[in-house]
Amino acid sequence: MRRTLSLAATAVSLLALQPTLALAKAEVKADAKADAARSDDPDGVPDPDTATTTRFFQPRKVQSAGTVTVGGQRIDYTAEAGTVVVHQGDWDDADWREKAAAGKGKDEAKDAPAEASMFYTAYFKKGAPSADRPITFLFNGGPGSATVWLHMGAFGPRRVITANDSHTPPAPYNLVDNAYSLLDASDLVFIDAPGAGWSRIAGKDKEKAFWGVDQDVHAFREFIKAFLSDHGRWNSPKFLLGESYGTPRASALVNALQSDDSVDFNGVVLLSAILNFDLSADGPQNNPGVDNAYVVSLPTVAATAWYHNRLAGTRPAELEPFLREVEHFATTDYAMALMQGSTLPDAQRQDMAKRLAGYTGISADYWLRSNLRLNVGQVMQHMQEEQGLTTGRLDTRFSGPTLDPTAKEAGYDPQSAAISSAYISAFNAYARDSLHYTTQQTYKPFAGNEEWDMTHRLPDGSRSESGPLNVMPDLANAMKQNPGLKVLLAGGYYDLATPYFEGLFEARHLPMAPSLQANISYAYYPSGHMVYANEASLKGFHDATAAFIARNSGKH
């Protein structure tokens, strides 16, 4: 599922789309004519033969109402499904008006600056004073993922039921009221990335304009500012919640909003975090000499062996004490052995392989043949190979038939295959039947952004990095410039895509004063990347997030 890291964006406010009194009458008429031409298109795409400006999209919104019960409390809400139009970073919000006044527009459409129509679904609790009510912006990762997963699995008012650790049978799927919706704590805005879901991009070099680290941050940054203006929420307590690649987005985004736009946030929730891509265990063999990825992923490998009863001898009765033991081993003896490289004495190498086998259930011989280093694909392929099973990546509790028993690494992720159809099918039905968002467009779980620009300008603006992405400086800078910013770091013990201990490691190494570490709280669950795929973990994650928002939303 490319919603997470693979195995291997400013905006124009909605007010800016309205003609001002200062415009010439001819321009107003031309603009009105163009808008009228667009109004027949339910998707807001202009007719190039009648449009008189170079705008490709028009914002739209559809409202509906609903009720959900959370913690025994009935919550009546208004739902809003719609789009906000944003533009690339160097776009001038007066330029198209000048071109229209000069009689230009449709003849230059092919060279028009790129823009994106970003789809969202928002939920507002009825009867709550909006000025004081918290508002949370939520997004999945990818990069380039729609936010159907958090929406339909975690915190929306309706959620789809999937099997706990096995393949969910085909349709019909079970869509139920979500007793763990976050609407009890905050209004919610689920945002689809440019090109994903019902978000669309258009214009010259549109992919380069939106598909990259900083471009993506810019799009979300301008979306949020436009949404706050359109809905009168500038003085509301504000939160971000990002999952997977959404965690580096959230870290860079909160820093940009605070540093460049003077918009302080109350808190950030990072679910299944990866802030430093040097720590990714998907392909560390391509980065020899940097062994921390193997260290931070080992506790998850051990958790997986514990879950599938692959440990030699008596299985520890409790998971978490066992993981504390493995964490200590990983950061001491194992890390020291890896640091020695080829100078590690053979006797110590043999002993280390045996100890690794004891913690992981993968043979000492295979550990030796792999130079004491296993990437994620190898673990997936070999953890349950005797049973002919491939172990999940996003959630190692899941297993599926191995595609190629002779392969070195797994050929697919059983967890992704097990639940994706349920999410996509349920959302398509829900959006049309309950949200009344009608469109002929296809809902795309992922944008086709295979060539994502990983270049990122550091917080001080001095240089851009084209190597492995690291937004730890961004999050640290945001916490230093806004000492009131709080962070909730959450994850699942069975997540091999973004191992839980990796998030802990990153948080403990943020370049900031030790006193700011008190602003970070932690919540981990016996689940995978999508912690909400396990109902008990979803309840725990809801309770932790709701409490986090309540703690950090009070008036001064």
Side-chain angles (χ1 to χ4, degrees):
M1 186 182 297
R2 276 200 312 111
R3 181 180 54 79
T4 67
L5 311 171
S6 61
L7 279 172
T10 160
V12 57
S13 73
L14 298 180
L15 294 177
L17 292 172
Q18 305 299 325
T20 66
L21 295 177
L23 289 174
K25 291 183 178 180
E27 184 185 354
V28 173
K29 291 179 180 179
D31 189 49
K33 181 180 179 181
D35 287 348
R38 296 184 182 92
S39 64
D40 292 334
D41 187 338
D43 295 325
V45 180
D47 182 344
D49 294 327
T50 58
T52 58
T53 77
T54 57
R55 290 178 293 155
F56 294 95
F57 304 109
Q58 287 289 293
R60 64 176 294 208
K61 64 178 71 172
V62 177
Q63 291 189 336
S64 55
T67 299
V68 66
T69 299
V70 181
Q73 172 193 3
R74 173 188 168 117
I75 302 173
D76 298 320
Y77 62 84
T78 298
E80 183 176 289
T83 58
V84 170
V85 180
V86 302
H87 296 80
Q88 64 186 47
D90 57 354
W91 189 75
D92 183 346
D93 63 5
D95 181 63
W96 70 266
R97 299 180 185 276
E98 295 171 353
K99 288 183 178 180
K104 301 178 180 180
K106 64 179 180 180
D107 295 333
E108 296 188 354
K110 64 181 183 300
D111 295 319
E115 63 184 38
S117 173
M118 293 179 67
F119 177 77
Y120 68 91
T121 309
Y123 299 95
F124 309 100
K125 181 180 179 181
K126 289 184 178 180
S130 61
D132 297 330
R133 171 89 167 154
I135 187 166
T136 302
F137 297 93
L138 306 93
F139 36 80
N140 281 102
S145 171
T147 301
V148 61
W149 322 102
L150 282 169
H151 189 172
M152 301 305 293
F155 290 148
R158 303 275 286 171
R159 72 180 182 97
V160 61
I161 301 298
T162 58
N164 182 51
D165 63 357
S166 58
H167 197 101
T168 299
Y173 299 107
N174 191 12
L175 193 63
V176 301
D177 287 346
N178 187 5
Y180 315 109
S181 172
L182 201 58
L183 263 173
D184 61 334
S186 173
D187 290 340
L188 308 172
V189 187
F190 299 90
I191 313 169
D192 285 349
W198 280 317
S199 295
R200 293 295 184 266
I201 60 176
K204 185 177 181 181
D205 297 328
K206 58 184 182 291
E207 294 87 0
K208 292 182 179 179
F210 295 108
W211 290 351
V213 176
D214 291 350
Q215 301 94 312
D216 174 82
V217 165
H218 184 83
F220 276 82
R221 167 183 162 194
E222 297 303 322
F223 174 99
I224 288 173
K225 291 188 295 182
F227 193 94
L228 293 174
S229 294
D230 188 53
H231 293 82
R233 301 302 294 269
W234 279 96
N235 205 35
S236 296
K238 292 175 281 291
F239 295 84
L240 297 177
L241 193 159
E243 177 185 344
S244 192
Y245 181 82
T247 62
R249 175 191 289 140
S251 299
L253 177 58
V254 72
N255 181 63
L257 283 164
Q258 295 184 165
S259 300
D260 299 334
D261 299 317
S262 299
V263 184
D264 280 0
F265 270 65
N266 297 62
V268 179
V269 181
L270 303 176
L271 174 62
S272 304
I274 177 169
L275 307 185
N276 179 357
F277 281 51
D278 261 329
L279 296 175
S280 172
D282 279 322
Q285 71 276 8
N286 299 319
N287 195 16
V290 180
D291 290 322
N292 279 338
Y294 303 107
V295 172
V296 299
S297 63
L298 185 64
T300 296
V301 181
T304 304
W306 183 91
Y307 185 83
H308 292 290
N309 200 22
R310 300 288 299 161
L311 301 175
T314 303
R315 179 177 182 258
E318 300 292 335
L319 174 62
E320 292 190 350
F322 173 61
L323 290 181
R324 302 296 88 81
E325 178 184 332
V326 180
E327 290 167 12
H328 179 74
F329 166 73
T331 55
T332 54
D333 294 352
Y334 182 48
M336 291 175 64
L338 297 183
M339 285 287 291
Q340 293 180 62
S342 62
T343 67
L344 181 68
D346 185 65
Q348 293 184 34
R349 186 181 302 274
Q350 296 283 342
D351 179 66
M352 183 56 58
K354 292 178 181 178
R355 296 177 69 184
L356 286 166
Y359 281 128
T360 68
I362 298 174
S363 73
D365 177 66
Y366 190 72
W367 277 104
L368 285 170
R369 286 188 285 119
S370 300
N371 198 24
L372 307 180
R373 296 162 173 85
L374 299 185
N375 66 25
V376 166
Q378 291 174 278
V379 173
M380 294 169 63
Q381 181 78 356
H382 296 281
M383 176 66 71
Q384 302 179 85
E385 61 180 340
E386 293 91 343
Q387 290 80 29
L389 296 175
T390 292
T391 305
R393 172 177 176 267
L394 294 171
D395 193 328
T396 62
R397 297 176 303 134
F398 286 74
S399 304
T402 295
L403 299 184
D404 181 1
T406 68
K408 178 181 178 180
E409 298 183 25
Y412 79 117
D413 179 5
Q415 193 263 7
S416 179
I419 67 173
S420 293
S421 177
Y423 276 77
I424 301 306
S425 300
F427 179 75
N428 269 279
Y430 169 70
R432 291 170 168 85
D433 298 342
S434 298
L435 298 178
H436 308 303
Y437 192 86
T438 57
T439 177
Q440 295 301 311
Q441 291 180 326
T442 299
Y443 190 83
K444 300 180 180 180
F446 308 100
N449 51 351
E450 290 78 8
E451 297 184 4
W452 189 262
D453 179 8
M454 296 299 287
T455 304
H456 174 54
R457 186 168 295 278
L458 297 175
D460 62 7
S462 61
R463 60 194 176 101
S464 294
E465 293 287 356
S466 57
L469 178 64
N470 189 343
V471 298
M472 290 170 62
D474 299 74
L475 182 57
N477 191 67
M479 295 179 72
K480 287 185 283 190
Q481 293 208 21
N482 173 13
L485 179 67
K486 301 300 193 298
V487 175
L488 172 61
L489 189 61
Y493 292 130
Y494 304 114
D495 176 10
L496 265 180
T498 57
Y500 80 93
F501 195 56
E502 176 186 334
L504 278 168
F505 185 92
E506 291 166 338
R508 293 167 179 172
H509 288 81
L510 287 172
M512 62 189 189
S515 60
L516 286 174
Q517 286 287 334
N519 284 11
I520 307 176
S521 52
Y522 303 88
Y524 291 100
Y525 304 96
S527 188
H529 192 78
M530 303 162 66
V531 299
Y532 41 87
N534 173 282
E535 186 171 354
S537 297
L538 169 58
K539 181 184 185 304
F541 183 43
H542 164 271
D543 293 348
T545 306
F548 175 78
I549 291 173
R551 282 197 310 271
N552 299 300
S553 296
K555 294 181 179 180
H556 297 291

